[in-house]
Amino acid sequence: CALPILTKGELFEVAFWLIFAAAAYALTFKFDQDIEIYKFGANGWPRAVIILIALAALGQLFHDVKARLAKEASGERKAPSAVIARGSREYALRIAAILVTPFVFAFLLDSVGFYVLAPIFIAVLLYIGGERRWGRIIGISFFIYALAILFFAKLLFVGLPTGNVHPFYDISNWILVMIR
C-alpha cells in the first residue's frame, strides 16, 4: 500500500515545524547551564516545549495521512464544510482572526492572567478554526488548559501570570490554590 500523496501545503506545514523545532533545539545549546534548584538546567523547559512542537508536527503528518487514506477509501471528492475556499473573503477574515487572536491574548495576559484567559483563548481559536460543536470546543479547551497548567505549574514549576485586575486576580489565585 503506497502512502497517499499529501498536498504541498500539508508537507510544507509539517516540514516548517520540524525545521523550526530542529533549529530551536540547536539554539538551546547556547545556554546549556546548570541551575542549582532545577535539575534539568536552563534549557530544560525550552527543550521540552520544542520536543512537543516536533511531536505535534509528526502527529499532524499522521493525521493528514490517515485522513487522506480515509478519503481515498471512501471515494470522497467533496471538501469538508469547515474548509473555506482560498481567496474568498471568509478565508481572509479567518486568517486575519487567527493572526490577531494571539496578539489580543498577549495584550490581555498581564491584566486578566493566564488562568482565566487561556481556556477562552483556546476556545476562540477552535471556533475560528471551524469547530462549531460547543461540547467539543469546551472539552478540548479544558483538556489543553489542564495539560498546560500541569506542564508549567506542576512539572516545570513556572509561575504563570495571575493578572492584576479584580476579579481575574482572585479567580487565578483560587485556581492556583486548587491545583496545589
PDB file of all heavy atoms in Angstrom, residues 100-115:
ATOM      1  N   VAL A 100      -4.511  37.665  14.568  1.00  0.00           N
ATOM      2  CA  VAL A 100      -4.727  38.734  15.546  1.00  0.00           C
ATOM      3  C   VAL A 100      -4.986  38.170  16.949  1.00  0.00           C
ATOM      4  O   VAL A 100      -4.574  38.776  17.949  1.00  0.00           O
ATOM      5  CB  VAL A 100      -5.896  39.640  15.094  1.00  0.00           C
ATOM      6  CG1 VAL A 100      -6.356  40.565  16.201  1.00  0.00           C
ATOM      7  CG2 VAL A 100      -5.477  40.438  13.870  1.00  0.00           C
ATOM      8  N   THR A 101      -5.633  37.039  17.051  1.00  0.00           N
ATOM      9  CA  THR A 101      -6.024  36.473  18.345  1.00  0.00           C
ATOM     10  C   THR A 101      -4.851  36.310  19.316  1.00  0.00           C
ATOM     11  O   THR A 101      -4.977  36.684  20.487  1.00  0.00           O
ATOM     12  CB  THR A 101      -6.779  35.145  18.146  1.00  0.00           C
ATOM     13  OG1 THR A 101      -7.911  35.385  17.322  1.00  0.00           O
ATOM     14  CG2 THR A 101      -7.234  34.562  19.461  1.00  0.00           C
ATOM     15  N   PRO A 102      -3.692  35.787  18.916  1.00  0.00           N
ATOM     16  CA  PRO A 102      -2.576  35.701  19.877  1.00  0.00           C
ATOM     17  C   PRO A 102      -2.100  37.061  20.375  1.00  0.00           C
ATOM     18  O   PRO A 102      -1.675  37.183  21.524  1.00  0.00           O
ATOM     19  CB  PRO A 102      -1.471  34.994  19.083  1.00  0.00           C
ATOM     20  CG  PRO A 102      -2.186  34.246  18.020  1.00  0.00           C
ATOM     21  CD  PRO A 102      -3.378  35.078  17.664  1.00  0.00           C
ATOM     22  N   PHE A 103      -2.182  38.095  19.527  1.00  0.00           N
ATOM     23  CA  PHE A 103      -1.797  39.429  19.977  1.00  0.00           C
ATOM     24  C   PHE A 103      -2.776  39.966  21.023  1.00  0.00           C
ATOM     25  O   PHE A 103      -2.372  40.603  21.987  1.00  0.00           O
ATOM     26  CB  PHE A 103      -1.685  40.390  18.786  1.00  0.00           C
ATOM     27  CG  PHE A 103      -0.514  40.092  17.896  1.00  0.00           C
ATOM     28  CD1 PHE A 103      -0.694  39.505  16.668  1.00  0.00           C
ATOM     29  CD2 PHE A 103       0.776  40.382  18.320  1.00  0.00           C
ATOM     30  CE1 PHE A 103       0.381  39.223  15.855  1.00  0.00           C
ATOM     31  CE2 PHE A 103       1.863  40.102  17.514  1.00  0.00           C
ATOM     32  CZ  PHE A 103       1.665  39.515  16.267  1.00  0.00           C
ATOM     33  N   VAL A 104      -4.051  39.685  20.825  1.00  0.00           N
ATOM     34  CA  VAL A 104      -5.053  40.083  21.815  1.00  0.00           C
ATOM     35  C   VAL A 104      -4.794  39.331  23.124  1.00  0.00           C
ATOM     36  O   VAL A 104      -4.844  39.919  24.214  1.00  0.00           O
ATOM     37  CB  VAL A 104      -6.483  39.820  21.290  1.00  0.00           C
ATOM     38  CG1 VAL A 104      -7.525  40.055  22.372  1.00  0.00           C
ATOM     39  CG2 VAL A 104      -6.764  40.682  20.065  1.00  0.00           C
ATOM     40  N   PHE A 105      -4.501  38.045  23.016  1.00  0.00           N
ATOM     41  CA  PHE A 105      -4.180  37.225  24.192  1.00  0.00           C
ATOM     42  C   PHE A 105      -2.985  37.830  24.935  1.00  0.00           C
ATOM     43  O   PHE A 105      -3.028  38.015  26.153  1.00  0.00           O
ATOM     44  CB  PHE A 105      -3.883  35.787  23.758  1.00  0.00           C
ATOM     45  CG  PHE A 105      -3.444  34.880  24.870  1.00  0.00           C
ATOM     46  CD1 PHE A 105      -4.366  34.361  25.761  1.00  0.00           C
ATOM     47  CD2 PHE A 105      -2.115  34.542  25.016  1.00  0.00           C
ATOM     48  CE1 PHE A 105      -3.970  33.505  26.787  1.00  0.00           C
ATOM     49  CE2 PHE A 105      -1.702  33.697  26.028  1.00  0.00           C
ATOM     50  CZ  PHE A 105      -2.636  33.181  26.916  1.00  0.00           C
ATOM     51  N   ALA A 106      -1.913  38.138  24.194  1.00  0.00           N
ATOM     52  CA  ALA A 106      -0.713  38.703  24.814  1.00  0.00           C
ATOM     53  C   ALA A 106      -0.994  40.064  25.446  1.00  0.00           C
ATOM     54  O   ALA A 106      -0.479  40.369  26.525  1.00  0.00           O
ATOM     55  CB  ALA A 106       0.404  38.825  23.773  1.00  0.00           C
ATOM     56  N   PHE A 107      -1.815  40.865  24.790  1.00  0.00           N
ATOM     57  CA  PHE A 107      -2.161  42.192  25.316  1.00  0.00           C
ATOM     58  C   PHE A 107      -2.931  42.088  26.632  1.00  0.00           C
ATOM     59  O   PHE A 107      -2.705  42.861  27.564  1.00  0.00           O
ATOM     60  CB  PHE A 107      -2.980  42.966  24.276  1.00  0.00           C
ATOM     61  CG  PHE A 107      -3.433  44.303  24.743  1.00  0.00           C
ATOM     62  CD1 PHE A 107      -2.543  45.370  24.809  1.00  0.00           C
ATOM     63  CD2 PHE A 107      -4.754  44.516  25.124  1.00  0.00           C
ATOM     64  CE1 PHE A 107      -2.963  46.615  25.250  1.00  0.00           C
ATOM     65  CE2 PHE A 107      -5.180  45.751  25.561  1.00  0.00           C
ATOM     66  CZ  PHE A 107      -4.282  46.807  25.628  1.00  0.00           C
ATOM     67  N   LEU A 108      -3.842  41.124  26.717  1.00  0.00           N
ATOM     68  CA  LEU A 108      -4.682  40.978  27.910  1.00  0.00           C
ATOM     69  C   LEU A 108      -4.044  40.147  29.018  1.00  0.00           C
ATOM     70  O   LEU A 108      -4.530  40.135  30.143  1.00  0.00           O
ATOM     71  CB  LEU A 108      -6.021  40.340  27.522  1.00  0.00           C
ATOM     72  CG  LEU A 108      -6.927  41.157  26.617  1.00  0.00           C
ATOM     73  CD1 LEU A 108      -8.135  40.330  26.186  1.00  0.00           C
ATOM     74  CD2 LEU A 108      -7.364  42.426  27.317  1.00  0.00           C
ATOM     75  N   LEU A 109      -2.968  39.444  28.711  1.00  0.00           N
ATOM     76  CA  LEU A 109      -2.390  38.484  29.643  1.00  0.00           C
ATOM     77  C   LEU A 109      -1.995  39.091  30.983  1.00  0.00           C
ATOM     78  O   LEU A 109      -2.298  38.522  32.034  1.00  0.00           O
ATOM     79  CB  LEU A 109      -1.188  37.796  28.995  1.00  0.00           C
ATOM     80  CG  LEU A 109      -0.654  36.559  29.686  1.00  0.00           C
ATOM     81  CD1 LEU A 109      -1.744  35.496  29.836  1.00  0.00           C
ATOM     82  CD2 LEU A 109       0.521  35.995  28.923  1.00  0.00           C
ATOM     83  N   ASP A 110      -1.360  40.236  30.985  1.00  0.00           N
ATOM     84  CA  ASP A 110      -0.932  40.840  32.260  1.00  0.00           C
ATOM     85  C   ASP A 110      -2.106  41.256  33.132  1.00  0.00           C
ATOM     86  O   ASP A 110      -2.053  41.112  34.349  1.00  0.00           O
ATOM     87  CB  ASP A 110      -0.034  42.050  32.006  1.00  0.00           C
ATOM     88  CG  ASP A 110       1.387  41.637  31.686  1.00  0.00           C
ATOM     89  OD1 ASP A 110       1.776  40.505  32.006  1.00  0.00           O
ATOM     90  OD2 ASP A 110       2.110  42.460  31.103  1.00  0.00           O
ATOM     91  N   SER A 111      -3.150  41.763  32.531  1.00  0.00           N
ATOM     92  CA  SER A 111      -4.269  42.244  33.343  1.00  0.00           C
ATOM     93  C   SER A 111      -5.256  41.129  33.698  1.00  0.00           C
ATOM     94  O   SER A 111      -5.769  41.095  34.808  1.00  0.00           O
ATOM     95  CB  SER A 111      -4.992  43.393  32.645  1.00  0.00           C
ATOM     96  OG  SER A 111      -5.418  42.992  31.372  1.00  0.00           O
ATOM     97  N   VAL A 112      -5.536  40.221  32.781  1.00  0.00           N
ATOM     98  CA  VAL A 112      -6.519  39.163  33.036  1.00  0.00           C
ATOM     99  C   VAL A 112      -5.859  37.925  33.630  1.00  0.00           C
ATOM    100  O   VAL A 112      -6.420  37.272  34.503  1.00  0.00           O
ATOM    101  CB  VAL A 112      -7.289  38.814  31.743  1.00  0.00           C
ATOM    102  CG1 VAL A 112      -8.265  37.676  31.974  1.00  0.00           C
ATOM    103  CG2 VAL A 112      -8.009  40.038  31.216  1.00  0.00           C
ATOM    104  N   GLY A 113      -4.672  37.577  33.170  1.00  0.00           N
ATOM    105  CA  GLY A 113      -3.952  36.417  33.689  1.00  0.00           C
ATOM    106  C   GLY A 113      -4.185  35.170  32.864  1.00  0.00           C
ATOM    107  O   GLY A 113      -5.218  35.000  32.217  1.00  0.00           O
ATOM    108  N   PHE A 114      -3.189  34.306  32.891  1.00  0.00           N
ATOM    109  CA  PHE A 114      -3.221  33.072  32.119  1.00  0.00           C
ATOM    110  C   PHE A 114      -4.362  32.156  32.549  1.00  0.00           C
ATOM    111  O   PHE A 114      -5.024  31.558  31.720  1.00  0.00           O
ATOM    112  CB  PHE A 114      -1.884  32.334  32.264  1.00  0.00           C
ATOM    113  CG  PHE A 114      -1.837  31.027  31.515  1.00  0.00           C
ATOM    114  CD1 PHE A 114      -1.463  31.000  30.193  1.00  0.00           C
ATOM    115  CD2 PHE A 114      -2.189  29.830  32.144  1.00  0.00           C
ATOM    116  CE1 PHE A 114      -1.430  29.805  29.493  1.00  0.00           C
ATOM    117  CE2 PHE A 114      -2.158  28.639  31.456  1.00  0.00           C
ATOM    118  CZ  PHE A 114      -1.781  28.624  30.130  1.00  0.00           C
ATOM    119  N   TYR A 115      -4.564  32.038  33.843  1.00  0.00           N
ATOM    120  CA  TYR A 115      -5.506  31.053  34.373  1.00  0.00           C
ATOM    121  C   TYR A 115      -6.949  31.326  33.946  1.00  0.00           C
ATOM    122  O   TYR A 115      -7.741  30.399  33.824  1.00  0.00           O
ATOM    123  CB  TYR A 115      -5.398  30.991  35.900  1.00  0.00           C
ATOM    124  CG  TYR A 115      -4.034  30.528  36.333  1.00  0.00           C
ATOM    125  CD1 TYR A 115      -3.048  31.440  36.710  1.00  0.00           C
ATOM    126  CD2 TYR A 115      -3.710  29.185  36.331  1.00  0.00           C
ATOM    127  CE1 TYR A 115      -1.791  31.022  37.083  1.00  0.00           C
ATOM    128  CE2 TYR A 115      -2.446  28.748  36.713  1.00  0.00           C
ATOM    129  CZ  TYR A 115      -1.490  29.669  37.073  1.00  0.00           C
ATOM    130  OH  TYR A 115      -0.249  29.247  37.429  1.00  0.00           O
TER     131      TYR A 115
END
